[in-house]
Amino acid sequence: MNIKVITTCIMFICLSYVSNFVSAASIGVVNAQKIINVLPNTTTEEEFVVSRSNKDGDMWFSVLVIEDIDNIIKLTGGSKFKIPDGQNSEVYKFTLDTYGLEYGTYDTQLRFELVDNISASVGVAIKYGIDAGIKLNIVDHVEKKPDVINLTEEHLDVVLIKDFSLKSYNISSDKEIIGSALIKNNSEYVVRDIPYNLKIYKSETEIYSIDQVAALNIYPGESEKINFRILSPDSGGQYSLKIVLAGNNDQIKFKITDYKFIFYSSGLIVSILIAFRFIFLARIKFKHS
C-alpha cells in the first residue's frame, strides 16, 4: 500500500471522527440575534451565551468578527473561547465601541468557530462554526437598566418578607415540612441569589438550622415566592419555624404528630385487649371444667 493511499485513509477516518464529534456535540448561541440601543461615543460591554448538547471535555472556539465595517466590536474577551469540561454553556463577553459614529443602525456579526485538534494535526481543513449577530442602534436616549446585586449583609434593607406559610401546620414525623415565603424587592436593583436561613425550635430550644440560597432574579418593586422543603423533627409536639432573610425574620408555629408513637401505642392497646380476652375466655373455660 503506497503513502498516498495510507494518507487518504487517515484523512477519511479523521473526517468521519470530526463529523461524528460535531453531530454528537451540537452547539448553538442563546439569543443569537440581538437588537441593542446605545448612545454615541460610548463603550458598552455585551455578551453571548454559547451552549452545547453535552458537557464532557473542554470545547474550544476561535472568535472572529465577520461583519463590522465600522470596527464597532472589540474582542475584549479574546480571540479564543472555551466551554470548560462539565459545563453545557459559557458566557463570552465583548465590547461595543461607538466613538466617532453617527446616529443610525449598524449591523455586526461574530462567529464562534469550533477548533478541532485532530483535524488540524493531519492538515484537514474542517470549519464548523455558529454565527451571532447584533443590530446596533445608536440613539440619543437609552433607558438605563437596573444594576444587579447579590443579596449580602451589605444590603439588608432591599427585600421584605410579605408572607411566610406552610402547606400544612399538622405534620407527620415521617414527612417533610413544605412551605414558602413571598418576598418583595424594595430597592432600585435587580436582586439575585438570595440567601436565607431556616430554624426549628421546640419551646425556646433550637433543634435544627439550615442555610439555603434562592436562585431568583427579582426586579425592582416586584415580588417572588421562595419554596422550601425540609425534614420534619422525628418526635411529636409543638414547634416553631423561623426564617431569617436579609435582616428580616418571621416565625410560624406548627405541630408534629408522632405516628410511630401512635402505631406503637395502638399495637400495645390491641395486645392488652387480646391478652384480657384470652384471660377472660380462660376463666370461663376454667369455671365450666
Side-chain angles (χ1 to χ4, degrees):
M1 187 179 292
N2 59 37
I3 300 298
K4 186 175 181 180
V5 173
I6 294 173
T7 304
T8 303
C9 291
I10 292 173
M11 290 177 65
F12 176 78
I13 293 170
C14 290
L15 282 167
S16 300
Y17 176 87
V18 172
S19 176
N20 291 335
F21 172 78
V22 169
S23 62
S26 58
I27 55 178
V29 176
V30 179
N31 189 18
Q33 299 296 322
K34 292 186 176 183
I35 299 175
I36 300 174
N37 297 327
V38 296
L39 297 172
N41 300 316
T42 58
T43 57
T44 306
E45 186 177 70
E46 292 293 338
E47 63 184 40
F48 281 112
V49 178
V50 183
S51 63
R52 59 177 174 172
S53 58
N54 64 40
K55 53 185 178 183
D56 296 330
D58 294 338
M59 181 176 278
W60 284 92
F61 299 85
S62 293
V63 185
L64 309 170
V65 180
I66 59 173
E67 183 180 343
D68 185 14
I69 61 175
D70 297 287
N71 197 28
I72 295 171
I73 296 180
K74 309 297 181 185
L75 298 181
T76 48
S79 60
K80 298 290 184 183
F81 171 67
K82 177 179 74 172
I83 302 179
D85 179 37
Q87 292 184 203
N88 286 112
S89 63
E90 185 58 284
V91 176
Y92 179 79
K93 295 184 178 182
F94 57 96
T95 300
L96 300 177
D97 185 349
T98 63
Y99 278 88
L101 298 179
E102 299 179 352
Y103 295 111
T105 299
Y106 299 81
D107 291 316
T108 63
Q109 197 158 347
L110 287 177
R111 174 169 292 165
F112 298 94
E113 201 165 83
L114 183 64
V115 176
D116 182 69
N117 294 329
I118 289 183
S119 64
S121 65
V122 295
V124 182
I126 295 177
K127 301 294 183 183
Y128 182 77
I130 43 177
D131 296 343
I134 296 174
K135 185 176 290 292
L136 185 69
N137 298 317
I138 300 181
V139 296
D140 59 4
H141 174 74
V142 176
E143 185 176 342
K144 185 179 181 299
K145 296 179 181 178
D147 294 327
V148 178
I149 61 170
N150 290 331
L151 201 59
T152 66
E153 292 300 320
E154 299 174 5
H155 307 99
L156 294 180
D157 58 347
V158 299
V159 296
L160 299 173
I161 301 172
K162 304 296 290 183
D163 181 63
F164 183 41
S165 60
L166 297 180
K167 182 178 179 180
S168 173
Y169 293 86
N170 191 351
I171 305 163
S172 167
S173 58
D174 60 347
K175 302 296 183 182
E176 290 181 309
I177 300 171
I178 303 173
S180 64
L182 181 67
I183 58 175
K184 181 179 180 180
N185 182 358
N186 205 32
S187 73
E188 61 184 8
Y189 306 103
V190 177
V191 178
R192 173 183 294 171
D193 296 339
I194 303 163
Y196 63 99
N197 173 265
L198 294 170
K199 297 180 187 294
I200 296 178
Y201 294 87
K202 188 169 188 179
S203 298
E204 299 297 324
T205 304
E206 179 185 317
I207 62 170
Y208 181 82
S209 177
I210 185 171
D211 293 313
Q212 299 197 19
V213 175
L216 297 173
N217 285 344
I218 309 180
Y219 283 79
E222 295 187 358
S223 298
E224 291 285 350
K225 183 180 287 187
I226 295 174
N227 298 307
F228 59 85
R229 307 170 72 101
I230 58 175
L231 294 176
S232 69
D234 58 4
S235 60
Q238 297 290 336
Y239 293 84
S240 59
L241 177 66
K242 182 178 182 181
I243 185 171
V244 179
L245 187 152
N248 302 281
N249 66 81
D250 200 353
Q251 189 165 294
I252 47 181
K253 296 184 181 298
F254 64 98
K255 181 182 179 182
I256 296 293
T257 302
D258 191 347
Y259 283 106
K260 291 179 182 178
F261 174 77
I262 294 174
F263 176 78
Y264 293 140
S265 300
S266 300
L268 180 60
I269 292 171
V270 171
S271 298
I272 292 172
L273 290 175
I274 292 173
F276 273 115
R277 184 173 183 273
F278 178 78
I279 294 170
F280 176 74
L281 292 175
R283 290 183 64 184
I284 292 175
K285 185 177 180 181
F286 177 78
K287 287 181 179 179
H288 286 81
S289 63

